[in-house]
């Protein structure tokens, strides 16, 4: 079914991309329903926060246990609604969420507690400072279809454990998985109004963005991200934007080609290439390039494409035909401009409408759309480079900056190059999996977005910092209050010299002057 039909007439329709079977239909949340959901969330949030971190993490533990019990059913539901192999649903969705829950259960209360703040400024030493971490209030999550469970669930767990209420607007293509997440959180004991899921289309998303929510976590395409940033700017709504990527893979001549080629094939074809962190551009040092291409072609040819419910399937269908059409256009453009098609390059119509063969292209260059725009499909475009500097320049020549990978036998070399890559994360001798490392911050630079989710930095985004300072000597007037005069100015000069003058002699002299002025000027405070 065409995506436009999927969102027709105020409803969204969930379709199995492998078979075309309709799995469910859902009315789109209207602007009024968004407002009502927000009012419920707003009412429920203070009590949720007052419950305290320990009780909230206990509920997260319930959720984790339930999810561990229901993992097979949840993974199969993800496969039915997205097409991805259910083995992959287990590794890239279930495992990620279970471990994210582990991270918050183990760390949230420590990371969220009040923190004493020491003051280095001598004039402020008599204050006792403290950092408080308060929930934002109601956090909205607007999410995509490609990881319909792990993206919203990891974000929701962080928001919830920090004491926020959450409203999730899932992708129009994956309402069922979102409702499953809602069911799991309900059963775990999270109050119904504290976590709400509202199926809907982009209009539902837009209504949520323009409502009085306190924070937005948006994951999706760059174009939608830009529209959302503009809408958010009208009322300075704080947003996290997790947007698209065009991740480079840099294979150096000292890499293990057998391992790197397996990594490239998995990194490019996982989730049929529909992963924000997937390998979208592959650069291989000249003298190992032929060997690398040959290995990738051989391994891509062995991949079994089919219905993801079959445990032997490596690559499932794409989400819908519109996405497949983008892939076709990119491959066609590359071939017209001189790329060599090494394998794949066509639909697998015998399997169904949304299947595309794992494709390897060689001799690509940066004039081709496939090296500039996000393809989001099962294509591995490979380009050779001469020296390290050229490889780095190619990797950084992109409007995106989500993540990158470097493949080398020399870890120190990899780490040195990683510092020069323009991306939010860099893996050395692996790709994609940083999303599954619960401690690691996830997010990009340049067009790939703003802000971070996951780990302690993601948790930090779910709170407002408040600084509170109290006087140790509340009965003392402050020196900088009114009572300005010549001797105050002299005292201030001496006081600054005590701290910042270059010569020790001047600092000692200034200390004596400062004391003298302090005693004289102190009595003249207003
Ligand atoms: P999309 O931008 O079309 O839609 C994402 C979500 O935004 C959907 O829920 C949609 O209904 C909603 N939406 C659309 N227009 C809206 C508007 N004007 N206001 C509010 N909400 C609106 O993206 P998609 O096709 O679902 O997902 C694929 C994209 O997501 C790819 O570009 C991919 O790279 C990116 N992505 C990024 C990350 C990351 O972490 N950086 C992760 C996964 C996917």
């Amino acid at each position: 079914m065409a995506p436009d039909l999927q969102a027709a007439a105020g409803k969204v329709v969930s379709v199995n991309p492998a078979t075309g079977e309709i799995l469910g239909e859902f009315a789109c949340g209207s602007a009024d329903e968004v407002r009502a959901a927000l009012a419920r969330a707003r009412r429920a949030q203070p009590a949720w926060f007052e419950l305290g971190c320990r009780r909230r993490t206990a509920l997260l533990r319930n959720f984790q246990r339930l999810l561990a019990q229901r993992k097979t059913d949840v993974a199969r539901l993800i496969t039915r609604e997205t097409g991805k192999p259910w083995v992959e649903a287990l590794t890239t969705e279930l495992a990620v969420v279970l471990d994210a829950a582990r991270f918050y259960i183990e760390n949230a209360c420590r990371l969220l507690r009040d923190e004493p703040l020491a003051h280095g400024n001598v004039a402020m030493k008599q204050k006792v400072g403290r950092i408080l971490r308060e929930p934002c209030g109601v956090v909205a999550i607007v999410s995509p279809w490609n990881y319909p469970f792990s993206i919203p669930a990891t974000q929701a767990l962080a928001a919830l454990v920090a004491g926020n209420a959450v409203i999730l607007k899932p992708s129009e293509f994956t309402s069922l998985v979102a409702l499953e997440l809602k069911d799991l959180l309900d059963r775990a004991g999270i109050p119904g109004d504290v976590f709400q899921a509202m199926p809907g289309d982009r209009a539902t998303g837009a209504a949520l963005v323009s409502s009085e929510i306190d924070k937005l976590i948006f994951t999706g395409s760059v174009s939608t991200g830009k529209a959302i940033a503009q809408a958010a700017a009208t009322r300075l709504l704080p947003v996290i934007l997790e947007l698209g990527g065009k991740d480079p893979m840099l294979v150096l001549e000292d890499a293990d080609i057998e391992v790197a080629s397996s990594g490239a094939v998995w990194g490019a074809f996982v989730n049929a290439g529909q992963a924000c962190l997937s390998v979208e551009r592959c650069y291989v040092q000249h003298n190992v390039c032929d060997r690398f291409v040959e290995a990738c072609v051989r391994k891509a040819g062995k991949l079994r494409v089919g219905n993801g419910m079959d445990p032997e399937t490596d690559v499932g269908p794409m989400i819908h035909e519109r996405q497949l059409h983008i892939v076709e256009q990119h491959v066609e453009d590359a071939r017209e401009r001189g790329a060599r098609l090494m394998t794949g390059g066509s639909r697998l119509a015998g399997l169904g409408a949304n299947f595309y063969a794992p494709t390897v292209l060689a001799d690509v260059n940066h004039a081709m759309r496939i090296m500039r725009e996000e393809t989001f499909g099962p294509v591995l475009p490979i380009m050779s480079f001469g020296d390290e500097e050229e490889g780095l320049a190619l990797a950084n020549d992109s409007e995106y900056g989500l993540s990158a990978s470097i493949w080398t036998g020399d870890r120190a070399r990899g780490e040195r190059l990683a510092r020069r890559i323009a991306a939010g994360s860099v893996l050395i001798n692996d790709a994609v999996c940083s999303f599954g490392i619960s401690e690691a911050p996830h997010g990009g630079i340049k067009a790939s977005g703003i802000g971070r989710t996951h780990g302690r930095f993601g948790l930090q985004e779910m709170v407002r910092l408040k600084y509170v300072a109290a006087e140790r000597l509340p009965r003392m007037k402050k020196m900088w209050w009114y009572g300005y005069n010549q001797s105050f100015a002299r005292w201030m000069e001496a006081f600054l010299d005590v701290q910042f003058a270059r010569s020790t002699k001047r600092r000692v002299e200034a200390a004596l002057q400062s004391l003298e002025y302090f005693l004289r000027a102190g009595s003249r405070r207003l």
Side-chain angles (χ1 to χ4, degrees):
M1 181 176 291
D4 300 339
L5 284 178
Q6 279 188 280
K11 64 180 183 183
V12 286
V13 184
S14 197
V15 178
N16 182 333
T19 62
E21 179 198 356
I22 292 183
L23 303 172
E25 293 187 358
F26 308 89
C28 293
S30 66
D32 281 346
E33 283 164 332
V34 165
R35 272 192 292 277
L38 176 60
R40 288 194 298 273
R42 177 97 45 230
R43 276 195 302 274
Q45 187 270 330
W48 173 243
F49 176 54
E50 290 305 322
L51 202 60
C53 189
R54 300 247 159 262
R55 310 255 301 266
R56 291 195 298 273
T57 46
L59 297 178
L60 251 59
R61 195 185 295 281
N62 292 349
F63 165 80
Q64 187 194 43
R65 287 183 182 144
L66 260 173
L67 182 59
Q69 274 167 20
R70 285 171 55 175
K71 58 186 173 305
T72 310
D73 292 343
V74 176
R76 285 175 163 267
L77 177 65
I78 295 170
T79 295
R80 291 221 314 280
E81 209 175 27
T82 65
K84 73 182 63 181
W86 74 271
V87 178
E88 223 171 89
L90 286 169
T91 54
T92 64
E93 304 250 26
L94 273 291
V96 170
V97 177
L98 287 166
D99 194 65
R102 187 269 313 152
F103 174 82
Y104 294 120
I105 291 164
E106 286 176 2
N107 298 294
C109 294
R110 177 177 57 82
L111 294 170
L112 292 170
R113 69 173 168 240
D114 295 356
E115 186 184 319
L117 189 78
H119 299 142
N121 183 339
V122 184
M124 299 297 160
K125 290 259 184 217
Q126 87 282 10
K127 291 183 198 303
V128 186
R130 201 174 293 286
I131 297 291
L132 313 186
R133 294 183 169 84
E134 298 181 341
C136 300
V138 180
V139 174
I141 297 176
V142 175
S143 58
W145 46 264
N146 63 334
Y147 288 91
F149 192 67
S150 59
I151 290 175
T154 52
Q155 296 169 349
L157 292 181
L160 289 170
V161 81
N164 299 285
V166 172
I167 303 174
L168 164 65
K169 204 302 278 178
S171 163
E172 38 278 65
F173 304 107
T174 52
S175 308
L176 278 172
V177 173
L179 294 174
E180 179 68 24
L181 173 62
K182 164 76 179 148
D183 186 55
L184 284 159
L185 288 167
D186 280 351
R187 284 167 190 258
I190 309 245
D193 290 343
V194 166
F195 179 85
Q196 301 177 66
M198 182 172 287
D201 55 10
R202 53 185 52 213
T204 309
L208 194 52
V209 173
S210 58
S211 73
E212 294 293 312
I213 52 171
D214 300 298
K215 179 122 189 181
L216 172 70
I217 313 177
F218 170 76
T219 310
S221 60
V222 174
S223 57
T224 310
K226 285 181 179 171
I228 281 179
Q230 281 181 343
T234 59
R235 68 175 192 89
L236 296 180
L237 168 69
V239 291
I240 297 175
L241 300 175
E242 297 283 11
L243 309 179
K246 190 76 195 164
D247 289 1
M249 168 172 185
L250 207 56
V251 184
L252 301 169
E253 60 195 345
D254 62 356
D256 182 325
I257 298 303
E258 173 55 25
V259 172
S261 55
S262 292
V265 167
W266 183 76
F269 303 137
V270 62
N271 203 19
Q274 303 165 117
C276 57
L277 297 171
S278 67
V279 172
E280 287 249 341
R281 298 178 286 144
C282 186
Y283 304 99
V284 186
Q285 206 155 7
H286 184 66
N287 43 354
V288 292
C289 193
D290 287 348
R291 201 149 55 88
F292 181 86
V293 171
E294 183 278 317
C296 289
V297 171
R298 182 166 34 85
K299 290 171 188 182
K302 287 188 182 160
L303 296 175
R304 293 152 305 185
V305 183
N307 189 321
M309 293 304 264
D310 179 347
E312 305 279 305
T313 293
D314 297 305
V315 181
M318 304 197 62
I319 190 75
H320 48 56
E321 258 189 294
R322 192 180 48 178
Q323 194 61 44
L324 191 147
H325 192 53
I326 295 171
V327 175
E328 283 181 328
Q329 287 175 336
H330 284 196
V331 171
E332 205 174 304
D333 171 76
R335 292 184 70 184
E336 276 168 13
R337 291 172 191 264
R340 269 191 303 147
L341 177 68
M342 307 302 292
T343 184
S346 58
R347 291 179 185 228
L348 299 172
L351 293 174
N354 299 327
F355 289 89
Y356 194 84
T359 298
V360 178
L361 293 171
D363 297 343
V364 295
N365 62 51
H366 279 208
M368 299 171 184
R369 291 178 67 190
I370 203 136
M371 296 302 269
R372 306 215 71 86
E373 300 168 27
E374 191 180 41
T375 307
F376 227 53
V379 185
L380 175 62
I382 304 172
M383 177 172 176
S384 76
F385 66 90
D387 61 11
E388 234 178 63
E389 290 303 317
E390 191 194 352
L392 268 178
L394 287 167
N396 287 337
D397 177 24
S398 173
E399 66 168 300
Y400 296 96
L402 191 53
S403 94
S405 66
I406 298 173
W407 300 72
T408 169
D410 178 348
R411 195 170 105 192
R413 184 184 188 195
E415 287 178 1
R416 179 169 52 76
L417 293 177
R419 291 179 187 275
R420 298 178 60 199
I421 295 261
S425 61
V426 182
L427 291 176
I428 297 161
N429 293 322
D430 200 356
V432 182
C433 75
S434 55
F435 193 78
I437 301 169
S438 302
E439 287 74 14
H442 173 71
I445 62 169
K446 300 197 274 184
S448 292
I450 297 172
R452 294 292 180 267
T453 53
H454 292 199
R456 71 187 162 100
F457 299 99
L459 193 60
Q460 202 73 29
E461 300 257 17
M462 295 298 103
V463 292
R464 293 176 179 151
L465 292 186
K466 182 182 277 177
Y467 165 69
V468 176
E471 290 300 312
R472 291 180 211 272
L473 303 169
R475 300 175 67 82
M476 194 180 101
K477 290 182 183 176
K478 302 299 165 291
M479 285 307 295
W480 54 88
W481 291 358
Y482 282 126
Y484 297 169
N485 57 23
Q486 177 78 3
S487 78
F488 174 79
R490 291 279 172 250
W491 170 72
M492 196 60 210
E493 284 171 353
F495 183 64
L496 291 175
D497 277 353
V498 172
Q499 298 172 77
F500 304 113
R502 284 189 70 176
S503 90
T504 315
K505 182 167 166 281
R506 175 60 200 142
R507 285 208 297 276
V508 173
E509 214 175 77
L512 296 172
Q513 283 170 353
S514 176
L515 185 65
E516 187 192 328
Y517 291 131
F518 176 80
L519 296 173
R520 268 198 277 142
S523 58
R524 284 204 289 273
R525 298 294 91 191
L526 262 188

